[in-house]
């Protein structure tokens, strides 16, 4: 229902469609292929569109693809120059209406990053690729409006093609249980068959021998009698087929789901959203999760990068130890460009900057304000930055807060306000970022005339390019260590004064290279860049915090202690993912990352397990043997994962390796691949998988995993629509899994086993009785008892257990996450256990019949007295059993047990009363049976003995369990004290420095800046240049 | 203000129930409770078992088979189904006083009174005196519903197969037979002859049975079961009621008479006795056995050694189990301390 409601809400979202020369509102569901749409700024794109033109120069437009690939930076899309030139030269609506191009494109598919097609228009055939396409689910940013031609709609869109099929999820326990029920049904049929054969044999004997009975055998035909008896036995044994159980099962699931929604610990006040169980039938699997596959963006991280600390000339500014919220904002009122958002308190630095004392700090900030590819857009008298990399945006914003405000850029100039003084730098060259170079530089001519190269990049690459005997290097490296320990993302900033002569020479070589073929040119460029970025002088280090969601590291640590494997699957860059892995304690500082090349070697080797083990024993791990344990993590990227498609046999090996690793990080994976990984885990392990994510790119994985959790967060993300559980915060997983999941698992396991036991033990008695009544399907119970037994006498206590049972309260569950492991090992619900409770039920039914049989054999007691006795024993047995099971006696439990037993006596008295008999003798023929039985000591003694003998195995098991777990608990306690130590060790451990910086797709947008394409403030550059840049794009 | 209220509108209630913090008693079991508990329960069961066993032992039972299978048996002659109106004398002697009150049972074995089709073959409405069901008995009585088109009253298989041997007990005193008086009152359930079974309110009772026939195997109609006592006649005849209350298992006894009167109120004195049996009921056709049983009773009813022994066995098992647990406990506890 909830799903349907949210679907219809999405279907009726409005958008602008061009209908005969004017745009009018239409609903999403009314879109057709071929419609021309107008998308406004910040609007979600409703279908896959071919970008025709936009309000921006060159028909560029920016889209945010967070929902699709998890990357938060903006990406640009550009219309074909042909459509751009033709459609923007005139008033748009008319020309758009006149647009009569024909698009040839491939069949709808799920490949997000590729598109092939052709546009036939005005006699030309133009090639289309991914750059021209706006995907459904992306959001238009920083662009007033864009016009697009609908190519794929609805289920044909790329994102929905990636969503996977909606499947009805059922829990493993339910499947096991269904199997057991089928087993029971078959056994009952078999028993009925055997009994009816017995009946046939008996009746044929009776025909010949028993005068009194033979006349009763129907038609005198034993086969026909047997046939009728078969059906009678099926009816008689039908209570053993737990049909009522399915109803109770649903009720329990619903109540558990309600408890999840009612939990205040999972209520997020900021968005006023409680947790929500959208699928009410998976609760018990929450207690068995073995693999948690998490999205990164929006799930682990908040999507906010904060400039937290920096080290300039060896001095560290800012304090990372205090929480972000606690930082006192600095007084930046002197800065006209300040608009907040700096979470660093360093009055000392501000003093230095304003006092003009420290040239280093000034250079540092100048570097930050110059060396980047950020665009500035003026809005309400203030620059708004748009960056391809969120890191850069954070750095530039921080520089602005501290007085070095980047104001605007043209193709050749960068304007910066330095403490209120506007300065214009001539941009000579932009040495762009690539994931291989891991650095970027700008070469500028200062207003004073000097040439400066500002460079920023990963610490390793920068440190090896420094001048000899660089000042402060040692102290800066210490700072790097410190920042790394605080899980901050660091970048080194360096500067170099370039002599005019070398610049001239370099420029000439560069100009030459431009004419060369692409492959050669790239190699040469790299070499050239390398020449320039030398002899650097280290200025400082920036430290950026990728804000994690609240409580993420604690949650992950707790879940890992609980035996869960936490994997991160993200569409984002490897660097970012690894960094976040460290930041959220998923990886320890000394964790060794195993990347694809090594993994491949291991996978290809004849005996992967041994190779892996050997590799771990030797080389890098051997540094510290004690910590060499499980401190390995696999890092994979999407393209590498495609190799698994060709080598299906690697799957099992991979999983066994992954099992020994601390974690697995998969980066740059498409939604489809995320689902593939889930499938891989599902295929090769028997564990329950849980996928958590917030965006449309996680939908597929959420649907594929056993349990899908959607993070609603602030924006109520896409994933919630198809998730089984909706949470507001990642940290709520703790309570959802360790408390609700564990309880649900325990409660439902207990419920199932008890239910099976109580129905079977009571119904199977008829099989044994059959041997002593000529297999005549005689009932050992009053009909009313059969009806009431499951409804009144035994239902309430087990339902109370299923609702309220807690072996350990919620605080302790969180304190001792190890307790969760019993669920992963299926300790309470294995098919073996289910079978054993069935066997126990068979034993009990034997006891229930044969002890009264022994007592009443050859006595003057009649059938009705025996029936009451056995019924009493059955109720006592069921009650004692539930008393043994219940560990958490709320007043409801006590009341339920007492009332159930009392009900047995009261109902028996009532149904055996003269009044009811007189009303309907046929229905209440047990008249007086209980009156007589309840005052007979022999009946009581028999019932007590029977009940006690019936529960003796379970009492003994419980007692042994108590004696043995007493011992175990000590063990648990001694284990429990360890994690605390571990955590502190984690802080002390030496850490490898991490410094990373990455922009989307590996290459930076420097090319666009240098070509001037995307700079609005400039007059559109010459057409040739645009086409040149477009050619390169293609 | 209103907005603020709306904002926290979804906040779950903070009650013990919704937050699953219901106060509860969580019994912490330990070896110190479990093992003594087991011992105590075991001892209690052994105690009950001993009491039952001793009581059961004190009950005197005299059981005699009179089916007449063996040629030596006094009833051998009567066991031939062709012999009608046969009476056999079963002689026995009692060594010591058979303490009273003595209950006299007849017993049948391999007799499936609990066969379902048999046990439902009666018409409860008819038996509670409903004259409509005299005219048209319920079809549950089939095939003992009608003879031709005349309804059988009481209809059905149970009534038809009513046990019809009769017994008279004589003590041999100085060579003379002295009749031991039998008390046949109150041997059926009170509810049976007061509520469940009623004669139709027609006087004389015979008139109610107009246009009906007696069950096929009965020698006399229901209204002549006890002509001497109206309260023991018709459907509320005690022997009839005892028979109609079907037995639980194929080997059963049914109370026939009690010996509570006259010289025998204290019991049957030692001496020689003769039981005169009017042998009518055929059981050999289904390999059944007939027997008579004299027994006195205690608080626990008749002799029942099974229950006492079962209590002793289960009780001993509990004690044994507790010893095993003690060993296991010791094994697990002490290595830990090392």
């Amino acid at each position: 229902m909830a799903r349907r409601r949210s679907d219809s809400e999405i279907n009726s979202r409005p958008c602008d469609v061009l209908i005969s020369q004017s745009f009018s509102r239409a609903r999403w569901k009314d879109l057709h292929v071929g419609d021309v749409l107008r998308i406004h700024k910040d609007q979600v794109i409703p279908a896959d569109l071919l970008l025709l033109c936009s309000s921006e120069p060159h028909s560029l437009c920016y889209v945010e693809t967070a929902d699709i690939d998890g990357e938060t930076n903006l990406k640009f899309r550009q219309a074909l120059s042909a459509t751009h030139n033709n459609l923007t030269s005139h008033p748009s609506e008319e020309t758009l209406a006149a647009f009569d191009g024909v698009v040839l494109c491939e069949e709808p598919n799920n490949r997000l990053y590729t598109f092939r097609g052709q546009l036939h228009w005005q006699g030309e055939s133009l090639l289309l690729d991914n750059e021209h396409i706006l995907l459904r689910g992306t959001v238009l940013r920083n662009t007033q409006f864009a016009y697009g031609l609908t190519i794929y709609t609805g289920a044909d869109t790329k994102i929905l093609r990636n969503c996977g099929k909606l499947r009805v999820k059922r829990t493993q326990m339910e499947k096991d249980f269904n199997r057991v029920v089928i087993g029971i049904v078959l056994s009952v049929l078999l028993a009925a068959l055997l009994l009816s054969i017995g009946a046939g044999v008996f009746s044929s004997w009776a025909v010949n021998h028993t005068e009194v009975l033979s006349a009763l055998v129907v038609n005198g035909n034993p086969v026909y009698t047997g046939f009728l008896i078969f059906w009678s036995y099926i009816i008689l044994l039908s209570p053993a087929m737990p049909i009522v159980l399915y109803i109770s099962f649903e009720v329990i699931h619903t109540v558990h789901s309600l408890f999840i929604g009612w939990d205040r610990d999972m209520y997020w006040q900021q968005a006023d959203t409680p947790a929500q169980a959208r699928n009410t039938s998976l609760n018990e699997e929450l207690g068995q999760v073995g693999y948690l596959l998490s999205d990164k963006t929006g799930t682990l991280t908040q999507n906010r990068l904060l400039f937290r600390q920096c080290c300039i000339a060896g001095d560290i500014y800012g304090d990372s130890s205090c929480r972000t919220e606690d930082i006192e904002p600095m007084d930046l009122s002197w800065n006209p460009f300040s608009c907040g958002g700096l979470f660093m308190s360093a009055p000392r630095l501000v003093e230095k900057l304003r006092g003009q004392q420290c040239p280093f700090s000034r250079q540092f900030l100048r570097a930050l304000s110059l060396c980047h590819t950020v665009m500035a857009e003026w809005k309400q008298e203030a620059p708004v930055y748009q960056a391809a990399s969120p890191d850069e945006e954070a750095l530039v914003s921080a520089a602005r807060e501290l007085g070095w405000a980047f104001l605007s850029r043209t193709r050749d100039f960068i304007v910066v306000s330095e403490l209120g003084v506007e300065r214009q730098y001539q941009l000579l060259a932009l040495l762009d970022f690539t994931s291989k170079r891991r650095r970027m530089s700008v070469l500028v001519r200062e207003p004073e005339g000097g040439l400066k190269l500002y460079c920023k990049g990963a610490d390793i690459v920068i440190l090896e390019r420094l001048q000899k005997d660089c000042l402060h290097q040692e102290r800066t490296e210490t700072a790097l260590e410190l920042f790394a320990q605080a899980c901050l993302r660091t970048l080194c900033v360096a500067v170099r004064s370039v002599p005019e002569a070398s610049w001239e020479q370099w420029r000439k070589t560069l100009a030459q290279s431009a004419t060369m073929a692409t492959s050669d040119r790239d190699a040469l460029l790299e070499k050239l860049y390398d020449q320039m970025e030398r002899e650097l002088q280290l200025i400082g280090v920036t430290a950026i915090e990728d804000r994690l969601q609240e409580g993420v590291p604690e949650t992950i640590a707790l879940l890992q202690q609980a035996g869960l494997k936490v994997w991160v699957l993200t569409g984002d860059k490897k660097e970012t993912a690894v960094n976040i892995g460290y930041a959220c304690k998923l990886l320890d500082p000394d964790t060794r990352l195993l990347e694809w090349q090594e993994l491949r070697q291991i996978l290809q080797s004849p005996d992967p397990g041994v190779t892996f083990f050997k590799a771990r024993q030797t080389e890098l791990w051997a540094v510290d043997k004690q910590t060499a344990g499980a401190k390995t993590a696999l890092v994979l990227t999407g393209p590498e994962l495609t190799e698994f498609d060709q080598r299906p046999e690697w799957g099992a090996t991979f999983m066994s390796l992954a099992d020994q690793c601390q974690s697995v990080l998969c980066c740059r994976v498409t939604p489809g691949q995320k689902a593939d990984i889930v499938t891989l885990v599902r295929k090769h392990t028997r564990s329950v998988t849980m996928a958590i994510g917030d965006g449309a790119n996680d939908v597929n994985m959420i649907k594929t995993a056993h349990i899908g959790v959607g993070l609603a967060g602030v924006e109520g993300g896409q994933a919630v629509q198809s998730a089984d559980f909706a949470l507001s915060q990642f940290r709520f997983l703790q309570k959802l899994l360790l408390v609700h999941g564990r309880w649900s698992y325990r409660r439902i396991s207990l419920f199932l086993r008890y239910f099976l036991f109580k129905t079977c033990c009571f119904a199977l008695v008829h099989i044994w009785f059959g041997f002593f009544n000529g297999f005549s399907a005689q009932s050992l119970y009053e009909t009313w008892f059969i009806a009431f037994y499951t409804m009144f006498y035994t239902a309430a206590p087990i339902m109370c257990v299923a609702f309220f049972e807690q072996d350990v309260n919620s605080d302790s569950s969180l304190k001792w996450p190890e307790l969760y492991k019993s669920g992963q090992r299926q300790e309470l619900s294995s098919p073996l256990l289910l079978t054993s409770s069935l066997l126990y039920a068979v034993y009990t039914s034997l006891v229930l019949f044969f002890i009264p049989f022994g007592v009443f054999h050859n006595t003057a007691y009649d059938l009705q007295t025996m029936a009451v006795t056995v019924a009493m024993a059955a109720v006592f047995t069921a009650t004692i059993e539930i008393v043994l099971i219940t560990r958490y006696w709320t007043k409801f439990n006590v009341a339920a047990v007492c009332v159930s037993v009392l009900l047995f006596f009261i109902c028996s008295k009532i149904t055996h009363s003269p009044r009811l008999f007189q009303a309907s003798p046929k229905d209440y023929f047990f008249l007086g049976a209980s009156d007589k039985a309840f005052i007979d000591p022999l009946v009581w003694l028999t019932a007590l003995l029977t009940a006690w003998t019936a529960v003796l195995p379970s009492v003994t098991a419980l007692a042994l369990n108590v004696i043995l777990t007493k011992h175990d608990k000590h063990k648990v306690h001694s284990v429990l004290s360890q994690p605390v130590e571990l955590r502190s060790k984690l802080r002390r451990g030496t850490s490898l420095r991490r410094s990373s910086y990455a922009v989307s797709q590996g290459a930076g947008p420097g090319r666009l800046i240098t070509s001037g394409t995307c700079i609005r403030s400039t007059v559109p550059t010459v057409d040739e240049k645009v086409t040149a840049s477009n050619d390169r794009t293609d | 203000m209103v907005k603020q209220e709306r904002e926290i509108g979804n906040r779950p209630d903070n009650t013990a129930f919704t937050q699953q913090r219901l106060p509860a008693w969580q019994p912490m079991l330990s070896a110190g409770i479990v093992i003594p508990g087991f011992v105590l329960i075991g001892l209690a069961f052994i105690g009950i078992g001993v009491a039952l066993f001793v009581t059961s032992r004190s009950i005197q039972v005299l059981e005699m088979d009179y089916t007449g299978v063996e040629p030596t048996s006094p009833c051998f002659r009567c066991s031939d189904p062709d012999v009608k109106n046969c009476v056999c004398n079963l002689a026995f002697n009692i060594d010591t006083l058979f303490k009273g009150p003595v209950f006299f049972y007849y017993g049948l074995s391999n007799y499936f009174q609990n066969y379902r089709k048999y046990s439902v073959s009666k018409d409860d409405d008819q038996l509670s005196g409903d004259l409509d069901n005299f005219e048209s008995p319920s079809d549950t009585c089939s095939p003992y519903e009608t003879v031709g088109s005349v309804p059988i009253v009481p209809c059905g298989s149970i009534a038809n197969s009513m046990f019809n041997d009769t017994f008279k007990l004589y003590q041999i005193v100085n060579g003379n037979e002295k009749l031991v008086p039998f008390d046949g009152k109150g041997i059926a359930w009170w509810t049976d002859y007061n509520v469940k079974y009623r004669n139709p309110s027609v006087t004389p009772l015979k008139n109610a049975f107009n246009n009906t026939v007696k069950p096929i195997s009965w020698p006399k109609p229901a209204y002549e079961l006890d002509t001497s006592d109206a309260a023991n006649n018709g459907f509320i005849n005690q022997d009839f009621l005892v028979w109609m209350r079907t037995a639980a298992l194929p080997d059963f006894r049914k109370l026939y008479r009690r010996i509570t009167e006259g010289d025998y109120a204290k019991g049957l004195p030692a001496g020689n006795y003769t039981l005169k049996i009017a042998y009518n009921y055929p059981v050999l056709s289904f390999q059944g056995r007939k027997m008579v049983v004299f027994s006195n009773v205690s608080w626990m009813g008749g002799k029942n050694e099974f229950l006492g022994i079962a209590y002793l066995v289960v009780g001993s098992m509990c004690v044994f189990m507790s010893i095993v647990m003690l060993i296991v406990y010791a094994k697990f506890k002490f290595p830990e301390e090392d």
Side-chain angles (χ1 to χ4, degrees), chain A residues 114-366:
Chain A
T114 60
F115 175 80
R116 266 175 244 286
Q118 280 184 317
L119 173 66
H120 293 286
W121 188 43
Q122 297 176 338
E124 278 181 89
S125 169
L126 304 158
L127 283 178
L128 301 175
D129 70 11
N130 204 29
E131 294 281 291
H132 309 113
I133 303 299
L134 302 176
L135 294 179
R136 171 175 171 164
T138 54
V139 182
L140 192 69
R141 299 279 189 212
N142 304 329
T143 310
Q144 280 311 312
F145 42 83
Y147 299 101
L149 177 72
T150 315
I151 306 175
Y152 303 124
T153 54
D156 289 340
T157 55
K158 300 240 177 197
I159 187 68
L160 287 187
R161 284 269 153 176
N162 256 302
C163 274
K165 288 212 177 74
L166 184 66
R167 299 176 309 150
V168 177
K169 289 181 183 177
R170 281 193 318 181
T171 61
Q172 186 59 41
M173 205 190 283
E174 210 179 324
K175 285 180 201 155
D176 285 347
F177 183 69
N178 281 341
R179 245 172 270 147
V180 170
V181 169
I182 290 169
I184 293 174
V185 170
L186 291 179
S187 316
V188 164
L189 290 179
L190 185 71
L193 185 71
L194 293 177
L195 288 167
S196 63
I197 290 171
V201 172
F202 181 84
S203 66
S204 67
W205 171 81
V207 167
N208 299 331
H209 296 94
T210 316
E211 182 183 299
V212 273
L213 297 177
S214 65
L216 286 166
V217 176
V218 179
N219 292 350
N221 179 353
V223 178
Y224 185 59
T225 308
F227 176 74
L228 290 185
I229 292 288
F230 175 73
W231 296 109
S232 306
Y233 264 114
I234 285 185
I235 293 168
L236 210 54
L237 295 175
S238 64
M241 303 184 230
I243 309 303
V244 190
L245 183 138
Y246 283 99
I247 302 159
S248 325
F249 205 53
E250 286 307 309
V251 173
I252 291 166
H253 271 136
T254 313
V255 170
H256 286 186
S257 303
L258 285 176
F259 275 132
I260 288 173
W262 282 336
D263 196 327
R264 275 164 87 98
D265 293 343
M266 296 200 294
Y267 165 79
W268 200 43
Q269 197 154 9
Q270 267 152 288
D272 187 31
T273 42
Q276 192 193 357
R278 294 170 58 89
N279 185 341
T280 55
S281 58
L282 299 175
N283 306 49
E284 72 268 20
E285 279 203 338
L286 288 176
Q288 296 168 277
V289 177
Y291 284 84
L292 175 68
L293 300 120
S294 172
D295 177 38
K296 182 188 73 72
T297 320
T299 306
L300 298 177
T301 62
Q302 281 182 347
N303 265 345
R304 281 173 70 204
L305 292 175
L306 304 176
F307 187 81
R308 289 298 305 276
Q309 274 186 305
C310 60
C311 166
I312 304 170
D315 292 329
I316 295 176
Y317 302 97
D319 183 9
S320 66
S321 60
C322 65
R323 288 182 42 204
T324 323
E325 290 74 23
D326 304 337
I327 292 169
E328 286 174 46
M330 285 189 289
D331 178 27
L332 295 170
S333 52
W334 48 269
N335 182 358
F337 294 107
S338 166
C339 49
L342 183 65
F343 290 91
M344 185 173 89
S345 179
R348 206 155 46 87
L349 176 63
V350 176
E351 232 169 76
K352 271 189 186 171
L353 288 170
R354 299 187 71 190
Q356 316 250 337
Q357 304 157 347
C358 173
F360 272 114
S361 53
R362 296 166 67 83
Q363 263 197 326
F364 179 77
L365 285 171
R366 193 171 294 147

Side-chain angles (χ1 to χ4, degrees), chain A residues 209 212 262 264 272 747 772 776-778 806 855 858-859 862-864 888-889 925 932 941 959 970, chain B residues 7 10-12 19-20 22 25 34 114 116 118-119 161 189 196 245-246 250-251 253 285 304 311 336:
Chain A
H209 296 94
V212 273
W262 282 336
R264 275 164 87 98
D272 187 31
R747 289 166 184 174
F772 299 95
S776 62
Q778 174 70 282
Q806 308 180 0
V855 174
N858 213 1
T859 61
D862 68 313
L863 181 61
Q864 294 188 348
Y888 192 77
W889 287 94
F925 57 89
K932 219 164 155 65
L941 286 172
H970 287 296
Chain B
E7 266 180 9
N10 290 329
R11 189 189 180 91
Q19 302 309 309
Q20 308 200 58
L22 286 173
W25 175 60
V34 168
N114 57 8
R116 200 177 75 85
Y118 174 89
S119 66
S161 62
W189 287 20
K196 201 168 181 178
R245 185 152 281 280
T246 53
D251 296 352
R253 294 171 187 176
S285 65
N304 202 326
Y311 261 97
E336 195 191 3

Side-chain angles (χ1 to χ4, degrees), chain A residues 51-97:
Chain A
L51 181 61
L52 294 175
C53 58
S54 76
S55 58
E56 306 300 292
H58 307 285
S59 281
L60 268 180
C61 72
Y62 295 91
V63 286
E64 190 185 286
T65 55
D67 261 355
I68 300 218
D69 56 14
E71 289 183 18
T72 50
N73 51 356
L74 297 181
K75 299 199 177 58
F76 58 88
R77 294 282 181 266
Q78 191 173 22
L80 285 170
S81 52
T83 57
H84 165 69
N85 293 338
N86 283 295
L87 296 174
T88 47
S89 47
H90 306 289
S92 58
E93 286 170 22
E94 282 161 38
T95 42
L96 280 170

